[in-house]
Amino acid sequence: MYTPELLELIKRVEATRERRLDEEFPLLSADAKQELLEGFHPDYKDEVFSELRVGPSKGERTPTEYARVFEAYSGVDPDGFDTSEVDFDVDVLIVGGGGAGAAAALVAQEQGANVLVATKLRLGDSNTVMAQGGIQGADKPNDKALVMDAPDALAWLEKLGVMFDKESDGTMITIHGGGTSRKRMHAARDFTGGEIMKTLKDEMLNRDVPLVEFAAVYELLTDGDRVTGAILYNMETQEYLIVRAKTTILATGGGGRLHVMGFPTSNHYGATADGLVLGYRVGAPLQYLDTIQYHPTGAAYPEQILGLLVTEKVRSIGGQITNVEGDRFVYELETRDVEAAAVIRECLGRKKGVVTPSGQPAVWLDTVVIEKKLGEGAVKARVPAMYRQYERFGIDMAKHPILIYPTQHYQNGGLEINDRCETPVPGLYAAGEVAGGIHGTNRLMGNSLLDVVVFGRRAGAAAATQAAGIKTAGGLGLDHLKDYHAALKAAGVEPTNASPMLLPEYRRAATVERKIELLA
């Protein structure tokens, strides 16, 4: 329910709605976009970055929150940890149970590989399941192949059972996303990622793909410069498990739960950049990790859903962004970095934003316009998940606008890979959000779901093929960790932090101290 104060502010949005219905809003010029980004986008704030002091990307900058987990000691003692008793001996170890991990597992198993999937939470607990708006794919007669694998990836998903939105004659329905020149967005209402993940999960279970849930990878194992397996930590039993693997695929997702600059996040609870840390320690360089994507429309009210995604599809079908006066200030389908910077400017620079009862700055996303343009019932029919998200709190998107503010959404960079998803470290692959270089510095809507399917499948195929030619994985050592710890010590990094983080800490400091006191 909106407070009386917010309901009063909504009247200003209602007063300008008729005028805005037919209003043409111009795209920003290239110079205006650059000025906006440099003034207000977090990626352009030098003070929020740190220069890495150790590792293969030493000297490069990354957000300070990421630098903290890279410049941390492992919780594993490389001199005292026993790796002699092997619990799993497999061809392909896949770390992560989201879209990329599931796609990799299915393809690797199809090629005859003995596969194990280890996931920190449950199978499907990932950013994939939270992706809403759609998946890009150049599959129209007038298209060249923007992404060569896209048509085949979409066909593969449909064959597995994904129910994409279609016209009555069976033609795929496509819409625009921000920054796009053609309609290539394929969707399943506004829960596309959930539909894809459900289908991949069901297929994995139907095929009896070996799976260990609540088993975080705590450290990789190496023999010389080659990755030969991993140490799993069972978060339920608090036991360590040793996996020997001929090839290993990191599909651990991103790091939204690091909360760069204190931004809220749309990411799932386990998104703490674990795969980045593990891959970096064994020598995989980073690409583009000085850029983070802030989705321009994260929920800002009510505070119970702060940071949760308000899919770009809401704007694709006609929703309009306005300031506290009810005026539009940016074209709604600019690229995400420009859109987010414009919202931040409106709240901070021009001070024309709304402030919620909890002190969160915000602007309005007028969803009622959708009903005016597409007819009564359009909001509930076209974005049902969004409608239910707000209905739970007594807010009807068809009758009232909603409050939004940018949320940390996607890790543009990651571990360096080639087109077969190989990192420069022998035996180690990466797919999905943990990998860098695929989207450059600014991802378009819908390309993350395409990414996890295309590169998950490529990783599974390449890792299985390589594993077939390897007789034995090799030794299970931690020499790389000794070297990394020595580099940290030489750089003057004190052993105050441990990584990977595994799970974020949201308890108040006093609560944590009290628990430690009780345990002592």
Side-chain angles (χ1 to χ4, degrees):
M1 297 282 292
Y2 281 122
T3 64
E5 293 79 10
L6 291 176
L7 287 172
E8 277 298 311
L9 292 179
I10 285 174
K11 290 179 181 179
R12 301 185 193 179
V13 181
E14 293 172 339
T16 64
R17 188 171 291 139
E18 288 300 320
R19 166 173 60 80
R20 288 186 283 106
L21 278 176
D22 299 316
E23 181 182 48
E24 293 289 334
F25 206 91
L27 281 164
L28 291 173
S29 68
D31 288 343
K33 289 179 183 180
Q34 191 61 30
E35 182 182 355
L36 176 60
L37 292 171
E38 290 177 1
F40 294 95
H41 195 279
D43 281 355
Y44 291 79
K45 307 296 181 185
D46 289 338
E47 64 272 19
V48 308
F49 292 89
S50 294
E51 190 175 286
L52 291 170
R53 294 175 282 177
V54 298
S57 296
K58 180 180 177 180
E60 295 184 15
R61 72 173 202 162
T62 190
T64 298
E65 291 80 0
Y66 277 80
R68 287 196 194 111
V69 295
F70 286 123
E71 296 181 351
Y73 289 74
S74 174
V76 171
D77 177 5
D79 293 311
F81 198 92
D82 182 12
T83 61
S84 61
E85 188 174 334
V86 176
D87 297 281
F88 299 95
D89 202 335
V90 300
D91 296 327
V92 182
L93 168 63
I94 298 164
V95 184
L106 292 171
V107 171
Q109 190 193 58
E110 284 173 2
Q111 293 191 190
N114 175 18
V115 172
L116 176 68
V117 175
T119 184
K120 180 163 60 176
L121 300 175
R122 299 166 300 179
L123 177 62
D125 286 345
S126 62
N127 286 344
T128 302
V129 79
M130 302 173 80
Q132 297 165 334
I135 177 172
Q136 294 269 22
D139 67 343
K140 298 299 180 185
N142 64 335
D143 267 322
K144 295 179 182 180
L146 285 181
V147 180
M148 296 298 293
D149 290 9
D152 186 54
L154 290 171
W156 183 69
L157 289 172
E158 188 173 29
K159 183 178 178 181
L160 291 180
V162 173
M163 302 289 287
F164 289 112
D165 296 341
K166 295 183 179 181
E167 304 285 3
S168 58
D169 64 357
T171 304
M172 290 273 200
I173 295 174
T174 54
I175 60 173
H176 273 299
T180 60
S181 59
R182 292 183 183 175
K183 294 181 178 180
R184 295 190 177 98
M185 191 67 57
H186 303 69
R189 296 295 190 270
D190 62 337
F191 41 81
T192 312
E195 172 70 8
I196 289 173
M197 192 67 245
K198 175 183 70 67
T199 303
L200 294 176
K201 178 179 177 179
D202 287 348
E203 194 68 15
M204 277 188 62
L205 296 175
N206 289 340
R207 296 188 191 182
D208 292 323
V209 176
L211 170 70
V212 184
E213 295 182 308
F214 299 107
V217 172
Y218 213 55
E219 197 57 60
L220 294 177
L221 296 168
T222 55
D223 185 357
D225 65 350
R226 182 178 186 79
V227 171
T228 54
I231 300 170
L232 306 184
Y233 176 65
N234 189 311
M235 300 173 73
E236 290 185 301
T237 65
Q238 299 184 342
E239 295 175 306
Y240 292 97
L241 303 168
I242 304 299
V243 182
R244 180 161 52 210
K246 295 175 181 176
T247 56
T248 299
I249 301 172
L250 293 176
T252 52
R257 291 288 165 173
L258 299 183
H259 295 287
V260 173
M261 286 185 65
F263 270 82
T265 185
S266 64
N267 285 193
H268 79 107
Y269 191 60
T272 50
D274 299 353
L276 282 180
V277 171
L278 298 173
Y280 191 68
R281 279 185 186 150
V282 297
L286 305 170
Q287 286 190 318
Y288 300 113
L289 206 61
D290 59 344
T291 65
I292 300 294
Q293 183 170 88
Y294 301 88
H295 196 291
T297 54
Y301 181 89
E303 64 181 9
Q304 294 96 320
I305 57 171
L306 177 66
L308 290 189
L309 193 62
V310 177
T311 175
E312 196 162 307
K313 189 174 182 180
V314 174
R315 287 173 284 134
S316 295
I317 62 175
Q320 294 180 339
I321 293 179
T322 82
N323 59 24
V324 70
E325 301 298 336
D327 296 322
R328 294 169 74 190
F329 54 90
V330 64
Y331 175 58
E332 285 75 13
L333 293 180
E334 294 276 8
T335 54
R336 286 178 174 178
D337 56 347
V338 171
E339 197 86 17
V343 173
I344 293 170
R345 179 184 64 181
E346 207 69 8
C347 292
L348 304 180
R350 296 179 178 179
K351 297 184 179 178
K352 290 186 178 180
V354 178
V355 178
T356 72
S358 66
Q360 171 65 42
V363 294
W364 295 108
L365 177 53
D366 190 3
T367 48
V368 183
V369 173
I370 299 170
E371 297 277 300
K372 298 285 186 180
K373 290 183 176 181
L374 302 182
E376 186 176 347
V379 170
K380 191 173 184 178
R382 300 290 292 274
V383 284
M386 285 292 92
Y387 186 87
R388 289 194 297 272
Q389 177 172 292
Y390 282 91
E391 187 182 37
R392 292 170 52 212
F393 298 98
I395 296 172
D396 187 342
M397 291 174 61
K399 296 179 180 178
H400 290 125
I402 58 177
L403 287 166
I404 56 94
Y405 190 78
T407 182
Q408 186 178 342
H409 182 56
Y410 194 82
Q411 179 180 282
N412 288 323
L415 301 174
E416 179 185 320
I417 61 168
N418 61 20
D419 61 356
R420 297 181 300 282
C421 299
E422 295 170 318
T423 72
V425 180
L428 184 65
Y429 296 74
E433 195 173 348
V434 74
I438 298 161
H439 307 287
T441 60
N442 190 31
R443 180 179 66 81
L444 291 175
M445 173 194 182
N447 280 350
S448 62
L449 287 177
L450 183 62
D451 172 5
V452 299
V453 177
V454 167
F455 287 96
R457 295 173 74 204
R458 283 183 171 230
T465 298
Q466 187 182 50
I470 298 174
K471 290 184 178 180
T472 178
L476 302 173
L478 290 164
D479 285 349
H480 70 281
L481 197 51
K482 295 178 185 179
D483 294 341
Y484 199 81
H485 283 182
L488 288 171
K489 187 174 181 180
V493 179
E494 296 294 328
T496 53
N497 282 356
S499 66
M501 184 186 293
L502 300 188
L503 294 175
E505 177 60 79
Y506 289 116
R507 294 172 297 174
R508 294 176 182 172
T511 304
V512 177
E513 290 167 5
R514 177 62 176 157
K515 184 174 182 180
I516 293 171
E517 182 183 300
L518 290 171
L519 291 173

